[in-house]
Amino acid sequence: MKKFQVARVSLCAAAVAVIAASTTSAAAADDPFLIVSGTVHCVDNTYTLTVPAKKIQSGTSSYYFLDGASPTEATRIGSEQPLQPGQDATADWTPTTSGTHRLWMRGNQSGGAAIVIGPQAVEVVDTAPAGADCAADSTGGAGNGSPIGSISAG
């Protein structure tokens, strides 16, 4: 009888995990981690990158953004900035090449631990298509960048 109860509990736990995972991915699409201003992104135009404070792990004391295939193979955007609790992480980004850019935010914590948020894929064009504008004044380009667990500082 105990074997049956254990199996039933395990099956219920698995069902809850599947429901939680599907709910999380749906919420992530509506509530992005890394937001890029503008809807059309053009070379040599400046856009604002933002990670809302509610998406940043508690204990993060500084951050910087990256542009590249992975956090370890990326170019830093701007400099490392201090971060106060409740503060959004932001930076200005001016892409200099067209193509797909993968954007990341790295947050540093005391003791050498780090969090990485991203990637957010952004397509950059040389010039805006007819009827479109490269302006950064509208918020858009939000994607489903997701947090990657803590990694050691590098």
Side-chain angles (χ1 to χ4, degrees), residues 18-127:
V18 168
I19 291 169
S22 64
T23 303
T24 300
S25 62
D30 295 334
D31 193 12
F33 281 85
L34 199 158
I35 301 164
V36 182
S37 66
T39 53
V40 176
H41 303 96
C42 300
V43 170
D44 296 328
N45 283 267
T46 300
Y47 304 95
T48 301
L49 308 179
T50 304
V51 174
K54 67 182 180 178
K55 302 294 185 180
I56 301 171
Q57 186 174 350
S58 176
T60 302
S61 58
S62 65
Y63 69 93
Y64 54 90
F65 287 88
L66 300 159
D67 180 357
S70 73
T72 58
E73 300 172 5
T75 302
R76 189 180 287 198
I77 299 169
S79 60
E80 187 168 346
Q81 300 294 317
L83 184 69
Q84 301 299 317
Q87 174 189 340
D88 291 348
T90 63
D92 288 336
W93 172 58
T94 306
T96 57
T97 60
S98 60
T100 302
H101 292 255
R102 294 169 57 91
L103 304 174
W104 310 80
M105 187 211 82
R106 178 184 166 131
N108 296 313
Q109 299 181 321
S110 61
I115 62 158
V116 175
I117 294 176
Q120 168 64 46
V122 176
E123 190 63 32
V124 175
V125 295
D126 289 316
T127 57

Side-chain angles (χ1 to χ4, degrees), residues 132-145:
D133 187 359
C134 293
D137 56 356
S138 62
T139 302
N144 59 355

